[in-house]
Amino acid sequence: MHIGLLGLLQLAIVLVLTICSLGVAISFAVRPAETKLAILRPLSLGLAFGAVGMFCAGSANTLAFASNAGLTDACNVQMLLGGFAEALLPGAVAFSAMAVAWALAAVGFQRICRGAAPRRCRLLRHGRGVGPGRGGLPPDEVRRNSMRVPFRARNRNS
């Protein structure tokens, strides 16, 4: 079986995305920044779609070979199963690399929030504040609100 030009192109894309994803994840683990995380998310999405595309291309190539060769011989069935095994391999490599990349990203998240103030952990809060049960207010806002006198208490004293 031959992989063809489209298969080689997709394999090159998967390999480049794998290397880039791991590089950005290592960089994020060493020096966490929101911009690196913003790059890692689409890279890993592209890697996942590249792996699925490689599986589809490998399956199509295997089925094209099976339609031309016929399945009367046991050797052809063995080659068909080998082709499907080869079609699964780029996905296994890509998803394994993605697991390592996001494990490294978890190290970066841990480094951000280890000793930082809650406001510096904005990568983890998804747009919500991190106040102590006060409707998600940031700590500065919680302090300002707790120093204010409630409206009912002001009316009782007057």
Side-chain angles (χ1 to χ4, degrees), residues 9 13 19 21 41 65 87 97 101 107 116 123-124 142 145 150 154:
L9 180 65
I13 289 172
I19 292 169
S21 295
R41 286 180 179 143
F65 171 76
V107 170
L123 295 175
L124 297 177
V142 170
N145 286 342
R154 278 189 285 171

Side-chain angles (χ1 to χ4, degrees), residues 85-105:
E86 286 179 12
L88 290 173
L89 188 61
V93 170
F95 286 116
S96 298
M98 218 174 357
V100 170
W102 281 102
L104 288 169

Side-chain angles (χ1 to χ4, degrees), residues 69-90:
L71 296 177
T72 57
D73 192 10
C75 181
N76 289 341
V77 173
Q78 185 179 9
M79 290 180 80
L80 178 71
L81 293 176
F84 278 120
E86 286 179 12
L88 290 173
L89 188 61

